[in-house]
Amino acid sequence: MTDIVEQQIIEENEASQAGRSDGMMRAVIYEDYGDANVLHLGEKPFPRRLPGQVTIQVKVSSVNPIDYRLRRGEMKGLLPGGFPRVPGYDVAGTIVDCDTDGPFNIGDRVFAFLDQTRGGAMAEYAVCAVDATAELPDDVSFSDAAAIPLAGTTALQSLRDHGEMKPNDRVLINGASGGVGMFAVQIAKAHGCTVDAVASARNEEFCRSLGADGFIDYKTENFLKSEKKWDLIFDVAGTANYLQARSVMTENSRYVSTEPDVKGMMTTLLTWPFSKSGKIMLARPCAKDLRELMRLHQAGNLKITIDSTFPLDRAADAHRRLESGVDQGKVIVMHT
């Protein structure tokens, strides 16, 4: 980044705030739990950056199931109160403010998994910890990058850390064609596993294009009654709990789910001593994992599929699209 270009970015950022003496920015906001109608485009104070954080001018964000589940109030027992809120955890954009002695410079292209508990991605600007932000290569679009953080990190940490994935493991991905599932199939294959994908029949070709070795149409075949057994079961769809899956797990099999509820948490606590263990995971923002996902992407091992694209002022429609049941890939939101 040359000094001239950097100065232009600084001036553009200052100009964007000029005439807005109240220091506000555009953001998608909701003031109470409810359906997608509670989302509206409004204004929020420009975010204050703390030491160890960067301020990102957001170009693209994406929508994940956790966003509408939080919006509907499904997790208010785990994450109560705190309105108004700005949804979203995935961002891709450019650095407009950072520590002078940090790893980033103004103007750097980055993507990030926001570490704020309640989100904040669907806004003109967002702040994020340096260790949850990664550099975005010039040959990767903001749209592709915004699709990666939460879903990709969830898949990687579920398989590698919680599922203790090893080469030659027989892995089953339940819900293989959605946002997390599409990453999970490819990550497992990149690590030398044999993968069976579970999805609807119309998504078989897509799952096999991701590298799935086998395919199960959940509408015509119940994998829980299969004679096959798997070393690792990753239940992205949330339709097969640990007790149900035990019959198709090998002796030292691992079960991982992404269902963040009280019952799920109990599964983790109660099964850890057993050979067939179950874990319910919540992804942890981590720049190192973002860099690993980007490495896989640039190596050709992690294809990004975009289901649909919406402008920021149609964020409610983006939520509705995901809630309606996305078959393949991610829903993204363009901010500029």
Side-chain angles (χ1 to χ4, degrees):
M1 178 62 64
T2 66
D3 291 340
I4 295 176
V5 174
E6 181 173 320
Q7 183 60 37
Q8 287 176 337
I9 292 170
I10 294 173
E11 291 173 355
E12 288 173 1
N13 182 43
E14 290 174 345
S16 72
Q17 296 303 303
R20 304 188 70 177
S21 58
D22 54 359
M24 305 293 280
M25 66 174 181
R26 289 194 315 153
V28 174
I29 299 168
Y30 63 108
E31 283 95 1
D32 200 357
Y33 300 120
D35 62 22
N37 292 325
V38 301
L39 297 174
H40 63 92
L41 193 61
E43 292 193 336
K44 285 270 291 180
F46 188 86
R48 179 187 176 191
R49 182 185 70 82
L50 300 175
Q53 293 181 325
V54 295
T55 303
I56 302 168
Q57 183 176 24
V58 184
K59 302 294 186 182
V60 186
S61 61
S62 75
V63 185
N64 296 284
I66 188 67
D67 300 328
Y68 67 71
R69 295 185 68 175
L70 284 171
R71 189 208 70 225
R72 295 193 303 209
E74 292 182 19
M75 299 175 63
K76 58 185 175 184
L78 298 174
L79 190 61
F83 293 103
R85 293 184 184 175
V86 176
Y89 294 90
D90 296 336
V91 301
T94 56
I95 300 288
V96 295
D97 188 26
C98 57
D99 293 331
T100 56
D101 57 351
F104 297 108
N105 297 305
I106 292 175
D108 283 351
R109 302 171 81 247
V110 296
F111 67 121
F113 182 170
L114 298 188
D115 55 340
Q116 284 76 23
T117 306
R118 295 183 177 87
M122 285 193 179
E124 286 186 277
Y125 298 90
V127 295
C128 189
V130 167
D131 59 8
T133 305
E135 184 177 354
L136 177 60
D138 290 337
D139 60 347
V140 179
S141 70
F142 288 123
S143 294
D144 281 354
I148 294 174
L150 190 150
T153 299
T154 298
L156 179 63
Q157 293 178 0
S158 292
L159 295 172
R160 182 196 63 197
D161 303 336
H162 300 283
E164 301 176 8
M165 169 181 60
K166 302 183 297 297
N168 300 316
D169 270 355
R170 291 164 293 180
V171 178
L172 180 135
I173 311 294
N174 182 30
S177 65
V180 175
M182 73 172 184
F183 288 117
V185 171
Q186 296 177 90
I187 290 169
K189 287 301 299 179
H191 285 77
C193 299
T194 299
V195 178
D196 287 319
V198 181
S200 61
R202 64 178 176 270
N203 293 312
E204 178 174 0
E205 182 178 350
F206 175 66
C207 290
R208 291 192 183 278
S209 75
L210 298 174
D213 300 285
F215 181 83
I216 298 172
D217 174 9
Y218 72 85
K219 293 184 178 180
T220 61
E221 182 181 353
N222 185 352
F223 77 86
L224 295 171
K225 297 180 179 179
S226 174
E227 294 183 358
K228 293 182 65 174
K229 292 183 182 293
W230 289 273
D231 302 304
L232 171 55
I233 294 176
F234 183 25
D235 180 28
V236 184
T239 58
N241 64 42
Y242 169 77
L243 293 177
Q244 293 171 322
R246 278 182 61 86
S247 62
V248 291
M249 295 167 65
T250 59
E251 183 60 32
N252 293 303
S253 183
R254 289 83 63 201
Y255 166 94
V256 182
S257 175
T258 58
E259 285 298 295
D261 54 25
V262 175
K263 182 178 179 181
M265 299 303 179
M266 290 302 293
T267 297
T268 300
L269 293 174
L270 296 176
T271 66
W272 72 266
F274 304 127
S275 59
K276 297 181 180 182
S277 64
K279 292 185 178 180
I280 310 301
M281 72 85 65
L282 289 172
R284 176 178 55 85
C286 175
K288 183 178 179 180
D289 286 346
L290 292 179
R291 290 192 290 269
E292 170 62 10
L293 291 163
M294 186 55 65
R295 183 192 70 79
L296 289 170
H297 176 56
Q298 292 202 292
N301 294 321
L302 200 65
K303 180 174 67 174
I304 311 299
T305 301
I306 305 298
D307 168 85
S308 51
T309 303
F310 295 86
L312 187 63
D313 60 5
R314 291 182 57 201
D317 288 334
H319 271 231
R320 292 186 189 101
R321 171 59 189 160
L322 190 61
E323 287 178 278
S324 71
V326 171
D327 284 333
Q328 301 176 4
K330 293 294 300 292
V331 175
I332 64 170
V333 176
M334 306 294 294
H335 291 223
T336 56

